[in-house]
Amino acid sequence: SGLGTRVLGALRAATMAAQAVARSGGVVRATGGARGRVNPARRGVRTAQDVPSHSKPQLGEHRRGARACLCCAAPRPARGDPASPRHKRLLARAQVQGAAQQPGSGPPRASLGQQTPQQRRSMYTHMLLCSLANALSDMDKVCLSVAIVPMAAAFGWTAAAQGAVQSAFFWGFTLSQVPGGAAASRYTGKRMLALGVLLWSVGTLVAPMAAASVPLLCLTRMIVGLGEGFSPTATTDMIARYVPRQERARAVGIVFSGFNVGNVVGLLVTPPLIALFGWQAVFYAFGAAGAVWLAVWLALPAPDEPVGAKKIGRVRLSELPWRAFAQNRTMWGVSAAHFADSFGKFTILAWLPTFFVQRFGASLSEAALYSLMPPTIGILVAGVASTWVDAKIARGEDVTSVRRQAWTVAALGPAVCLTLAALAPGKIGAVLGLTVALGSARFALASLFCIHQDLSKRHAPTLLGITSSVGSLGGIVGTALTGLLLKASANLAPAQSWALSLFAPIIVVYLVGYVAWAALVSAEPVAFESPRP
């Protein structure tokens, strides 16, 4: 009968459609004609375990008559972009890292913006080695602050000579920031970090042989500073090249928390080494550790850049758009923030032991213990901040807004806590205030030290070199200003003198840094190169 024929025809059509869906991996392909149109609500899509669900495509985001979009099964254009801008973001979230492979199709291939498990292992291995390099650099920096006591006694140095030896490092560090960033853009961060570790390891190893002459020892410390000046810009280039944007805060937290680790380890290890083997052993041990790190680093091939990400070409030094850097308002805001971050961090760490001794009458051992607490807490806070920021960006939140939130914690948190520490009547309250202040300042790793990669992956190391140079000036100015203010307020009570000399300038500078960031900084990518005619 006619009814039976129609039922059989419908069943046959349904069977053929099901076979077609199975062959296409669960996606119905539209043909473009009236018969090929499929209601989006009835399209066959991959199962929930293959592709996470999301909202339906909006009108105009796809054209019919072409292959289906990988993330929502809606038709997409046959030429040009494989998906709309909105669906690019959804695609990155929907596809499993290390895209699933069909049987017999070979090794896993990474999806757009993602990496295979092998590539991710290589990437994070390099990030951990970058963190270890930063730890070694801080160990080489802080070892002299402890070893200089027996060295001064052995060679009869005056206070002026000790100050000259200590400051030589910072002059080298400041001078190498911008050239190091430009060189990292030209020769890649992997090569420049190797050069930096080589320089500061050699400078550390030869220090005992040059210690009899103050000028020669200053030269070795300047070499250490030059080498360590390459480290921040080189590691920034590594992050910009090999880490996807939604994971950069985590990578920055891993890499730059190495400074806190090195600070803690250096202060803990140096005194026993000096007691057991003499002050020379510190320089030999830390220099040899750098040589071992360098051998491992050179043996590893560089990671692969994320699939689909724009490759970072090498930039010749003559091609760097210096005028565009100087005219960019975001760079001014970031430079002000970097000045505030370094002003607060370096000034507090430089004067912290003296503050506890003179303000509360603590012993040197107690002062050293209190000085270890802020960097130790900073290691923990860095992991929390980076995870929080990366999670918000992965959910699709505006990057500019997320970076601003992190910087708000990094600037206003220390301002509030330092106010409480300045007013604390006892050392326990001061210790807690200072520890929380420097801990919250570590949110800068998820904002201040990520913004350069957001602005330009190609020029990120050079941009960090510029702002870090401004930040180094903040450390120099803050440390010197505190000493001058302490001398001028010597007739006041200790509590008032330290509140006006140490805490008040830092609080003001942090507030200025917060306002500058809020008014000027955006995380939108910037094309610094002028368009060619």
mmCIF file of all heavy atoms in Angstrom, residues 3 44 153 230 242 325 331 352 368 372 415 427 493 504:
data_model
loop_
_atom_site.group_PDB
_atom_site.id
_atom_site.type_symbol
_atom_site.label_atom_id
_atom_site.label_comp_id
_atom_site.label_asym_id
_atom_site.label_seq_id
_atom_site.Cartn_x
_atom_site.Cartn_y
_atom_site.Cartn_z
ATOM 1 N N LEU A 3 0.837 3.692 2.128
ATOM 2 C CA LEU A 3 1.321 3.991 3.466
ATOM 3 C C LEU A 3 2.552 3.144 3.809
ATOM 4 O O LEU A 3 3.544 3.633 4.361
ATOM 5 C CB LEU A 3 0.214 3.744 4.484
ATOM 6 C CG LEU A 3 0.600 3.967 5.961
ATOM 7 C CD1 LEU A 3 1.051 5.396 6.173
ATOM 8 C CD2 LEU A 3 -0.580 3.616 6.860
ATOM 9 N N GLY A 44 23.376 16.475 14.159
ATOM 10 C CA GLY A 44 24.134 15.484 14.915
ATOM 11 C C GLY A 44 25.439 16.101 15.384
ATOM 12 O O GLY A 44 26.149 16.702 14.607
ATOM 13 N N ALA A 153 86.512 41.256 57.382
ATOM 14 C CA ALA A 153 87.424 41.040 58.506
ATOM 15 C C ALA A 153 88.782 40.529 58.023
ATOM 16 O O ALA A 153 89.825 40.896 58.567
ATOM 17 C CB ALA A 153 86.799 40.047 59.486
ATOM 18 N N PHE A 230 70.358 39.418 32.095
ATOM 19 C CA PHE A 230 69.778 38.717 30.948
ATOM 20 C C PHE A 230 68.641 37.785 31.341
ATOM 21 O O PHE A 230 67.821 37.426 30.506
ATOM 22 C CB PHE A 230 70.862 37.885 30.235
ATOM 23 C CG PHE A 230 71.926 38.702 29.559
ATOM 24 C CD1 PHE A 230 73.215 38.214 29.434
ATOM 25 C CD2 PHE A 230 71.641 39.957 29.052
ATOM 26 C CE1 PHE A 230 74.202 38.966 28.808
ATOM 27 C CE2 PHE A 230 72.621 40.713 28.432
ATOM 28 C CZ PHE A 230 73.905 40.219 28.309
ATOM 29 N N TYR A 242 56.699 29.921 23.804
ATOM 30 C CA TYR A 242 56.326 28.514 23.921
ATOM 31 C C TYR A 242 55.115 28.234 24.812
ATOM 32 O O TYR A 242 54.660 27.094 24.855
ATOM 33 C CB TYR A 242 57.526 27.727 24.481
ATOM 34 C CG TYR A 242 58.782 27.912 23.664
ATOM 35 C CD1 TYR A 242 59.948 28.428 24.242
ATOM 36 C CD2 TYR A 242 58.809 27.593 22.313
ATOM 37 C CE1 TYR A 242 61.109 28.607 23.487
ATOM 38 C CE2 TYR A 242 59.962 27.772 21.558
ATOM 39 C CZ TYR A 242 61.102 28.279 22.150
ATOM 40 O OH TYR A 242 62.224 28.458 21.405
ATOM 41 N N PHE A 325 57.693 52.211 21.077
ATOM 42 C CA PHE A 325 57.716 51.817 22.486
ATOM 43 C C PHE A 325 57.523 53.041 23.391
ATOM 44 O O PHE A 325 56.755 53.005 24.350
ATOM 45 C CB PHE A 325 59.046 51.147 22.840
ATOM 46 C CG PHE A 325 59.294 49.831 22.143
ATOM 47 C CD1 PHE A 325 60.585 49.346 21.982
ATOM 48 C CD2 PHE A 325 58.241 49.081 21.646
ATOM 49 C CE1 PHE A 325 60.827 48.140 21.354
ATOM 50 C CE2 PHE A 325 58.468 47.865 21.009
ATOM 51 C CZ PHE A 325 59.765 47.398 20.866
ATOM 52 N N MET A 331 52.928 51.232 27.887
ATOM 53 C CA MET A 331 54.304 51.095 28.351
ATOM 54 C C MET A 331 54.622 52.090 29.466
ATOM 55 O O MET A 331 55.366 51.772 30.405
ATOM 56 C CB MET A 331 55.274 51.284 27.180
ATOM 57 C CG MET A 331 55.367 50.082 26.256
ATOM 58 S SD MET A 331 56.034 48.642 27.120
ATOM 59 C CE MET A 331 57.695 49.185 27.488
ATOM 60 N N LEU A 352 65.032 45.383 55.932
ATOM 61 C CA LEU A 352 64.254 44.592 56.881
ATOM 62 C C LEU A 352 65.062 44.146 58.104
ATOM 63 O O LEU A 352 64.615 44.331 59.250
ATOM 64 C CB LEU A 352 63.652 43.378 56.157
ATOM 65 C CG LEU A 352 62.373 42.782 56.753
ATOM 66 C CD1 LEU A 352 61.306 43.843 56.906
ATOM 67 C CD2 LEU A 352 61.861 41.653 55.855
ATOM 68 N N ALA A 368 67.263 37.632 60.874
ATOM 69 C CA ALA A 368 67.401 36.788 59.689
ATOM 70 C C ALA A 368 66.191 35.879 59.515
ATOM 71 O O ALA A 368 65.703 35.673 58.389
ATOM 72 C CB ALA A 368 68.667 35.950 59.793
ATOM 73 N N LEU A 372 63.336 35.871 56.337
ATOM 74 C CA LEU A 372 63.053 34.724 55.473
ATOM 75 C C LEU A 372 61.554 34.504 55.251
ATOM 76 O O LEU A 372 61.164 33.892 54.254
ATOM 77 C CB LEU A 372 63.652 33.452 56.086
ATOM 78 C CG LEU A 372 65.158 33.258 55.941
ATOM 79 C CD1 LEU A 372 65.602 32.034 56.732
ATOM 80 C CD2 LEU A 372 65.543 33.115 54.482
ATOM 81 N N ALA A 415 50.083 48.273 50.221
ATOM 82 C CA ALA A 415 49.845 49.601 50.802
ATOM 83 C C ALA A 415 49.069 49.500 52.108
ATOM 84 O O ALA A 415 49.395 50.169 53.102
ATOM 85 C CB ALA A 415 49.093 50.474 49.788
ATOM 86 N N LYS A 427 56.545 43.455 67.593
ATOM 87 C CA LYS A 427 57.192 42.892 66.412
ATOM 88 C C LYS A 427 56.357 41.797 65.753
ATOM 89 O O LYS A 427 56.496 41.576 64.544
ATOM 90 C CB LYS A 427 58.578 42.360 66.759
ATOM 91 C CG LYS A 427 58.615 41.293 67.826
ATOM 92 C CD LYS A 427 60.059 40.932 68.139
ATOM 93 C CE LYS A 427 60.157 39.932 69.280
ATOM 94 N NZ LYS A 427 61.558 39.620 69.628
ATOM 95 N N ALA A 493 61.314 59.461 67.740
ATOM 96 C CA ALA A 493 61.259 58.124 68.335
ATOM 97 C C ALA A 493 61.438 57.075 67.246
ATOM 98 O O ALA A 493 61.079 57.313 66.083
ATOM 99 C CB ALA A 493 59.920 57.929 69.050
ATOM 100 N N ALA A 504 56.188 55.067 54.805
ATOM 101 C CA ALA A 504 55.409 56.105 54.122
ATOM 102 C C ALA A 504 55.781 56.260 52.646
ATOM 103 O O ALA A 504 54.889 56.302 51.779
ATOM 104 C CB ALA A 504 55.561 57.434 54.866
#
